[in-house]
Amino acid sequence: MVKLLVIISSGKEAKEKAQTGVMFAANSMKFGWSEKTEVIFFGPSQDLLVEDEEFRNEVIEQLGDYKPLACKFIAEKKGYVDKLDFVRVEYVGGIIAKLIDENFVPLVF
């Protein structure tokens, strides 16, 4: 069975794409479409997480107990670290490379 790496990088200009990625990841987990699903918010999507309450609430509601990752470099650069307490904030470049090496299929929204 496939392992999925859902990278959400769309920001305010493409909020619907980011929402689609969250919904796909949540459904993959809920309906067992994959062996494992990892979600990473990267780049402009972190602006949505911090600045768009509706989007943030959708992420929390749809992903439930699962805590996705957000890029620590970007969070530090933009002063978001304290505002992202509902996700795991880590440097994600190496994590992405490792997951791809472990045969996770990347899907980018």
Side-chain angles (χ1 to χ4, degrees), residues 9-70:
S9 62
S10 296
K12 297 176 232 177
E13 78 294 339
K15 179 179 174 180
E16 290 178 350
K17 288 181 184 179
Q19 289 171 309
T20 301
V22 172
M23 181 173 42
F24 181 84
N27 284 336
S28 176
M29 292 175 198
K30 180 178 179 181
F31 297 114
W33 295 344
S34 66
E35 176 183 334
K36 188 169 184 181
T37 301
E38 292 290 345
V39 180
I40 297 177
F41 289 93
F42 198 45
S45 66
Q46 292 180 218
D47 296 330
L48 276 174
L49 286 175
V50 171
E51 299 171 8
D52 188 317
E53 183 177 0
E54 176 188 37
F55 181 73
R56 180 174 52 254
N57 288 338
E58 287 176 18
V59 169
I60 293 167
E61 180 181 323
Q62 288 187 33
L63 296 180
D65 292 335
Y66 174 79
K67 288 184 92 169
L69 283 164

Side-chain angles (χ1 to χ4, degrees), residues 6 8 14 23 49 52 59 67 88-89 102 105 108:
V6 178
I8 301 172
M23 181 173 42
L49 286 175
D52 188 317
V59 169
K67 288 184 92 169
R88 296 174 286 151
V89 179
E102 293 174 1
V105 175
V108 182

